[in-house]
Amino acid sequence: MADDQRWHMRIGEVAQRTGLSLRTIRHYEDAGLAAPSARTKGGFRLYTEQDVERLLAAARMRPLGFTVDEMREVLDVTARLASADDPPEGEERERLRARLGTYREAVEARCEALRVRLRRAEDLAATLRAHLDPVG
């Protein structure tokens, strides 16, 4: 394996590390959410740690109901803000931060909605347990 590929993982290792199926990883690639950084001469996908982090971020947004376009935007904005080679400055930086702030608020609201649903589900489970437990 070439030196520049030594730090790359194949799709199977990425699936194992992330808990994502091969199908999901390929879907995220097709949707433009996360692509492998390289390919072997034989065409096998090769991923870096940064690629894996992008896949995991996409996977965390999925259960919150974000669309593929929203997921892509969040990933692109965070990548742009984290750019070390050409960091955003001035108005661009503020615009990106504002956009990310809007998503953060949406995430917090969706998390609260999920907490409410979880409390209701736990209440139901407790009610059912109470009906199944013998009366003392």
Side-chain angles (χ1 to χ4, degrees):
M1 185 177 284
D3 284 342
D4 64 337
Q5 292 180 0
R6 183 176 29 178
W7 303 107
H8 288 83
M9 295 162 269
R10 289 193 177 191
I11 193 170
E13 183 180 349
V14 172
Q16 198 170 35
R17 288 189 55 200
T18 62
L20 298 172
S21 69
L22 298 177
R23 182 178 178 197
T24 297
I25 294 169
R26 288 185 190 112
H27 170 70
Y28 285 172
E29 179 183 351
D30 291 343
L33 297 175
S37 289
R39 288 188 181 261
T40 66
K41 289 180 183 177
F44 292 102
R45 294 165 173 85
L46 296 172
Y47 297 85
T48 63
E49 282 297 326
Q50 187 175 6
D51 300 330
V52 170
E53 287 303 315
R54 195 167 162 102
L55 283 165
L56 287 169
R60 288 190 296 264
M61 286 183 265
R62 179 98 180 149
L64 294 175
F66 285 99
T67 66
V68 169
D69 288 339
E70 290 169 330
M71 293 163 69
R72 188 180 313 107
E73 184 178 16
V74 169
L75 294 169
D76 290 348
V77 167
T78 55
R80 180 69 184 114
L81 284 169
S83 174
D85 297 335
D86 181 27
E89 296 178 2
E91 189 176 307
E92 179 193 12
R93 183 174 186 275
E94 291 311 309
R95 182 181 53 78
L96 292 169
R97 288 177 51 79
R99 190 68 187 131
L100 201 57
T102 300
Y103 278 112
R104 189 204 73 223
E105 290 171 6
V107 166
E108 290 174 358
R110 292 174 189 196
C111 286
E112 181 55 31
L114 285 172
R115 282 189 283 276
V116 168
R117 289 180 65 193
L118 178 59
R119 282 192 298 271
R120 289 177 182 162
E122 288 171 337
D123 288 346
L124 175 60
T127 299
L128 296 176
R129 269 193 309 276
H131 285 291
L132 290 173
D133 288 340
V135 177

